[in-house]
Amino acid sequence: MDNPFLALAAPGISGLHPYVPGKPIEELERELGLSHTIKLASNENPLGPSPMGAGAASGVIDGVNLYPDDAGFRLRNALSKRFGVAPEAITLGSGSSDVIDMVARAFLAPGRNAVFARHSFAMYPIYTQAQGAGSRVAAPFPPDHARMPYGHDPSTLLDAVNAETRVLFIANPNNPTGTWMTRDELTGLLDRLPSHVVVVLDEAYIEYVEEPAFPNGLDLLPHYPNLIVTRTFSKIYGLAGLRIGYGISAPDLAAVINRVRHPFNVNSAALAAAEAALNDTAHLTRSREVNRAGLRQLSEGLASMGLRCIPSMANFITVDIGRSGSDVFESLLRKGVIVRPVANYDMPHHLRVTVGREAENRRFLEALAEVLER
Ligand SMILES: *Cc1c(COP(=O)(O)O)cnc(C)c1O
């Protein structure tokens, strides 16, 4: 039977496919009676949370009868000092997805549209559709592209923009492909965009990037008043469970975005943890090292099985396994290894694997070899 409330839902909601999160370890162990399972599915930090961040979060638990600081004064000041921007330029969110949603709620509506690339972050179409706005999906570079297979193509993104476009979403590096746009590609696109388009430059993985030619969105902000750069404490800082991220933009743009922000949208533990984690350089450095080594281990291991990976700048790698990703995902589950099938990203023959610690990566590679042999 059809759900009778679907007919009552706001425009866009009845056709909306909700986000499918990575499978939690506890759920898999409960369902299959397994133990010692590993999860390389949600791009979480395998080293755990920033110890300084986690310590600061525990330190404020006794005060949670009080509402958090709605302005996030201390964290916004810390970010302001760190990045050399005004505190008014910073929008705090319950995860950066909250900030991305605020942009959609502030600028999208029926009759308007958002532009983004195929195989990009799953929340862009969801937030867009929830506003009753249209999605214009740009073709990425083809799989045989010399420099950046599956990467964002600036010319198709620009072609997709029309008079009704209000938001352009770009993830750099992109999830689920790990691909990235160069500084020239990005600025070439931004220079040609009409001023009625707000650009969300989603830099959830930028702290992992070690490529010197990679464009830092914050350097572009002074030149592009319609740009908002979003970042998160969920990935390299290891604070995904606390939900905190932020956007940086011209203060005028931030003021409009903040009109739709929920009161107290960031909780006190998250505010304290983020402020402390910002200074946890030891955890940051170690996380980068483990990721660099793990990316190499995974790409070499997968290549030695004759599989083709998409070159990645992030903390995950996406590989073409030449058959149904969902089937291989299921077989890996039975071996206690959780990865991410990406059919919902239009990539039915790929799997996305988060970079883990050495032993976890090895266990994944061994399990995959066994599954593919059968
Ligand atoms: C993980 C991720 C985010 C942010 O997640 P939050 O936990 O909400 O901060 C944003 N964009 C992309 C592309 C991501 O992969």
Side-chain angles (χ1 to χ4, degrees):
M1 271 300 283
D2 269 348
N3 181 337
F5 295 105
L6 281 175
L8 304 179
I13 304 296
S14 56
L16 193 145
H17 299 287
Y19 181 72
V20 184
K23 199 175 185 65
I25 285 182
E26 223 186 331
E27 183 180 305
L28 176 66
E29 297 194 338
R30 197 169 54 232
E31 285 175 2
L32 295 186
L34 295 170
S35 56
H36 308 294
T37 60
I38 60 169
K39 182 183 178 202
L40 302 175
S42 300
N43 304 341
E44 294 147 334
N45 190 324
L47 299 180
S50 146
M52 286 168 67
S58 339
V60 299
I61 284 299
D62 284 347
V64 295
N65 55 313
L66 303 179
Y67 281 104
D69 173 18
D70 181 61
F73 178 82
R74 291 175 56 103
L75 177 61
R76 279 165 82 221
N77 271 303
L79 290 166
S80 152
K81 285 208 185 72
R82 170 64 53 91
F83 297 124
V85 298
E88 296 72 36
I90 299 165
T91 303
L92 297 182
S94 175
S96 58
S97 18
D98 186 27
V99 180
I100 296 167
D101 182 39
M102 283 187 244
V103 175
R105 285 187 285 126
F107 291 99
L108 295 177
R112 302 178 174 196
N113 67 69
V115 168
F116 47 86
R118 191 172 170 220
H119 319 307
S120 195
F121 189 40
M123 293 314 298
Y124 305 155
I126 293 176
Y127 292 145
T128 299
Q129 200 174 334
Q131 297 314 307
S135 287
R136 290 172 64 87
V137 182
F141 288 136
D144 60 355
H145 192 266
R147 190 186 63 81
M148 199 58 65
Y150 299 95
H152 284 20
D153 179 343
S155 63
T156 58
L157 285 167
L158 186 63
D159 286 347
V161 170
N162 66 16
E164 286 74 44
T165 303
R166 288 295 174 277
V167 180
L168 168 62
F169 294 110
I170 299 170
N172 207 37
N174 183 47
N175 175 16
T177 57
T179 53
W180 58 288
M181 291 181 86
T182 64
R183 194 185 172 92
D184 285 350
E185 285 174 335
L186 190 56
T187 55
L189 172 58
L190 295 175
D191 287 338
R192 286 171 183 79
L193 271 183
S195 58
H196 61 78
V197 179
V198 172
V199 180
V200 176
L201 182 60
D202 178 347
E203 296 186 335
Y205 300 97
I206 195 163
E207 295 88 356
Y208 284 106
V209 173
E210 303 190 281
E211 161 68 47
F214 193 92
N216 180 334
L218 301 184
D219 297 341
L220 305 177
L221 282 174
H223 309 286
Y224 302 100
N226 54 337
L227 176 65
I228 175 166
V229 175
T230 61
R231 294 187 177 180
T232 181
F233 287 93
S234 297
K235 306 287 158 63
I236 204 164
Y237 293 100
L239 302 177
L242 288 177
R243 313 301 305 123
I244 179 156
Y246 56 96
I248 303 185
S249 65
D252 278 352
L253 178 53
V256 173
I257 293 167
N258 272 275
R259 289 187 174 202
V260 299
R261 188 173 61 80
H262 295 293
F264 312 112
N265 63 325
V266 182
N267 69 76
S268 10
L271 288 171
E275 188 188 347
L278 262 188
N279 294 316
D280 200 340
T281 42
H283 180 260
L284 210 67
T285 306
R286 178 97 186 95
S287 300
R288 254 186 222 119
E289 283 167 7
V290 168
N291 193 63
R292 189 188 315 131
L295 265 183
R296 197 180 318 117
Q297 182 189 2
L298 286 173
S299 43
E300 287 175 5
L302 291 165
S304 75
M305 290 183 223
L307 301 175
R308 232 177 113 206
C309 295
I310 305 175
S312 172
M313 282 271 156
N315 67 341
F316 57 84
I317 190 154
T318 298
V319 56
D320 186 347
I321 46 168
R323 61 181 89 172
S324 158
S326 310
D327 289 354
V328 175
F329 161 74
E330 292 288 342
S331 305
L332 287 170
L333 281 185
R334 273 177 248 115
K335 294 177 176 296
V337 175
I338 313 174
V339 297
R340 192 67 158 265
V342 281
N344 59 326
Y345 289 90
D346 253 352
M347 303 177 85
H349 290 163
H350 284 77
L351 286 178
R352 191 191 71 191
V353 186
T354 301
V355 176
R357 283 175 295 183
E358 202 270 335
E360 294 170 319
N361 300 333
R362 188 162 13 97
R363 182 152 160 218
F364 156 72
L365 289 169
E366 286 166 6
L368 182 66
E370 286 168 20
V371 166
L372 294 183
E373 250 165 43
R374 258 190 290 118

